[in-house]
């Protein structure tokens, strides 16, 4: 019995000494010796399979993706539409101008549209109307485009897109007066926007895809 008690005491003392030595040692454990390579690992959280790997790697995941329109014709008409109405197809301003490109009823008649109410409800027709009106303005201003593009008036470089944007604002006749007066006759609309402002703001877009057409119609 005494031998058993002595054995237990000896074992306990040995364990205490080993623990003391272990905790008092300055030696650090080298974790690089341990690896999970080759082991089959199991996780309680699964990856969402609907999320693409490249999306997970990107910090732009939550940002909307939009096309870069640049100085293309689409870029031209969208920039102009944003200035006119912030791109709203169904808006009517305080002067009665309609839709995304803010057409007046008189201009709509010139390109074959006689029902402003239906026009306002039809985005596709509004896009056709913009193209038709731009074609018509390009025909009316064809000589002025030839004579003035590349020149500077009041420090502004004259470009075809600037001329066509200004014609959308003020009408082709007012743009002719501006150019042929060498920038003196600067039309201003009811909101204080001038031909010169549009000439500068919408300068340098590629409108070469628009063909000059005296009889252009949206319908």
């Amino acid at each position: 019995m005494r031998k058993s008690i002595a054995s237990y005491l000896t074992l306990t003392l040995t364990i205490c000494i080993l623990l003391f030595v272990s905790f008092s040692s300055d030696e650090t454990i080298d974790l690089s010796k341990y690896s999970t390579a080759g082991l089959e690992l199991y996780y309680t959280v699964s990856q969402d399979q609907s999320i693409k790997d490249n999306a997970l790697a990107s910090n732009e995941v939550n940002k909307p993706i939009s096309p870069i329109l640049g100085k293309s014709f689409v870029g031209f008409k969208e920039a102009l539409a944003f200035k006119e109405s912030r791109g709203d197809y169904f808006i009517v301003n305080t002067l009665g101008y309609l839709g995304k490109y803010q057409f007046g009823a008189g201009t709509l008649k010139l390109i074959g549209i006689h029902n402003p109410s239906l026009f306002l409800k039809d985005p596709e027709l509004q896009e056709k109307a913009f193209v038709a009106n731009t074609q018509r303005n390009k025909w009316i201003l064809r000589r002025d485009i030839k004579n003035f593009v590349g020149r500077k008036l009041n420090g502004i470089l004259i470009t075809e897109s600037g001329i066509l944007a200004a014609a959308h604002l003020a009408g082709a006749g007012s743009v002719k007066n501006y150019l042929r007066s060498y920038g003196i006759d600067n039309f201003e609309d009811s909101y204080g926007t001038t031909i010169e402002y549009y000439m500068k703001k919408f300068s340098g877009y590629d409108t070469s895809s628009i063909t000059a057409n005296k009889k252009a119609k949206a319908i």
Side-chain angles (χ1 to χ4, degrees):
M1 182 69 174
R2 289 181 180 178
K3 288 182 179 181
S4 296
I5 293 173
S7 297
Y8 285 127
L9 289 174
T10 301
L11 180 60
T12 302
L13 182 60
T14 302
I15 292 172
C16 289
I17 292 170
L18 289 173
L19 288 173
F20 175 78
V21 172
S22 175
F23 285 112
S24 63
S25 174
D26 291 333
E27 184 181 355
T28 58
I29 299 173
D30 184 5
L31 296 178
S32 66
K33 295 179 181 179
Y34 300 89
S35 171
T36 59
L39 298 178
E40 187 172 357
L41 304 177
Y42 297 91
Y43 298 94
T44 57
V45 180
S46 61
Q47 179 176 323
D48 186 348
Q49 296 300 316
S50 66
I51 301 176
K52 302 295 183 183
D53 290 339
N54 60 347
L56 289 173
S58 172
N59 58 7
E60 300 294 318
V61 173
N62 295 322
K63 292 186 178 181
I65 299 173
S66 59
I68 299 175
L69 301 176
K71 290 290 187 175
S72 66
F73 175 70
V74 176
F76 169 71
K77 71 185 185 68
E78 291 303 317
L80 186 56
F82 187 81
K83 178 65 178 69
E84 293 285 337
S85 70
R86 292 191 175 272
D88 188 343
Y89 284 108
F90 309 107
I91 196 171
V92 180
N93 77 0
T94 56
L95 299 175
Y97 288 87
L98 307 165
K100 180 177 177 179
Y101 301 101
Q102 293 291 278
F103 277 101
T107 301
L108 291 178
K109 288 179 182 178
L110 293 174
I111 54 176
I113 299 171
H114 300 279
N115 191 326
S117 296
L118 289 179
F119 170 78
L120 192 63
K121 297 175 184 177
D122 191 339
E124 184 178 355
L125 182 57
Q126 291 188 36
E127 296 296 336
K128 290 179 179 179
F130 180 79
V131 172
N133 189 55
T134 305
Q135 288 177 318
R136 185 174 171 276
N137 284 334
K138 190 169 182 176
W139 185 86
I140 296 171
L141 292 161
R142 64 196 184 282
R143 292 190 180 91
D144 299 278
I145 289 171
K146 181 180 179 180
N147 293 333
F148 286 94
V149 165
R151 301 174 69 174
K152 281 190 175 183
L153 294 180
N154 298 331
I156 297 172
L157 179 64
I158 305 301
T159 65
E160 182 178 285
S161 62
I163 289 174
L164 294 177
H168 183 83
L169 171 75
S174 294
V175 175
K176 274 189 178 185
N177 293 339
Y178 172 83
L179 293 172
R180 295 179 185 186
S181 69
Y182 292 90
I184 295 174
D185 191 353
N186 187 17
F187 171 90
E188 182 178 301
D189 74 0
S190 299
Y191 297 107
T193 305
T194 65
I195 282 178
E196 200 162 83
Y197 174 77
Y198 264 44
M199 284 276 192
K200 183 177 180 179
K201 184 173 181 63
F202 300 106
S203 172
Y205 286 89
D206 182 4
T207 53
S208 59
S209 61
I210 292 296
T211 57
N213 185 352
K214 179 182 179 180
K215 299 181 179 180
K217 302 291 181 183
I219 296 178

